[in-house]
């Protein structure tokens, strides 16, 4: 695990500010494999957050823990356009 320079409370606040907005998600699956999709950050909970993909046929994972975000396994970026 890579040591993060931001605290958990800062990460939670950052993600909470993006709630109900369109986001671009990039997942690091390991061994140089990445998956990217766009969706809406739908839920922010004490232990995790959820993203609803715009593509209804997406069969990947859509809930992530804050530690996955802090370690860089999940990257979120506010989307410029909304679908």
């Amino acid at each position: 695990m890579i040591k993060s320079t931001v605290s958990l409370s800062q990460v939670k606040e950052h993600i909470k500010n993006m709630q109900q907005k369109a986001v671009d998600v990039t997942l690091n699956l390991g061994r140089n494999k990445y998956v990217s999709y766009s969706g809406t950050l739908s839920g922010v909970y004490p232990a995790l957050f959820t993203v609803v993909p715009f593509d209804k046929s997406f069969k990947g994972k859509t809930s992530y823990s804050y530690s996955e975000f802090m370690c860089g396994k999940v990257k979120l970026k506010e989307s410029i356009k909304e679908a």
Side-chain angles (χ1 to χ4, degrees), residues 22-82:
V23 292
D24 294 325
V25 181
T26 304
L27 303 172
N28 182 351
L29 302 176
R31 295 187 178 222
N32 294 325
K33 295 179 187 168
Y34 293 89
V35 174
S36 296
Y37 68 92
S38 296
T40 303
L41 185 63
S42 61
V44 177
Y45 304 101
L48 55 92
F49 59 94
T50 60
V51 179
V52 176
F54 293 141
D55 183 12
K56 299 301 178 195
S57 64
F58 183 78
K59 297 203 185 307
K61 182 178 167 189
T62 59
S63 62
Y64 309 100
S65 68
Y66 296 109
S67 64
E68 290 175 313
F69 181 82
M70 290 175 74
C71 292
K73 187 174 178 183
V74 178
K75 294 184 181 180
L76 292 177
K77 185 175 83 170
E78 278 193 53
S79 184
I80 296 171
K81 63 172 187 162
E82 293 191 24

Side-chain angles (χ1 to χ4, degrees), residues 6-21 23 41 43-49 65-67 69-70 76 78:
V6 295
S7 69
L8 181 60
S9 60
Q10 290 172 324
V11 168
K12 285 184 178 183
E13 189 65 32
H14 175 70
I15 291 174
K16 191 173 191 174
N17 290 336
M18 290 191 289
Q19 189 171 10
Q20 299 303 324
K21 294 183 181 176
V23 292
L41 185 63
V44 177
Y45 304 101
L48 55 92
F49 59 94
S65 68
Y66 296 109
S67 64
F69 181 82
M70 290 175 74
L76 292 177
E78 278 193 53

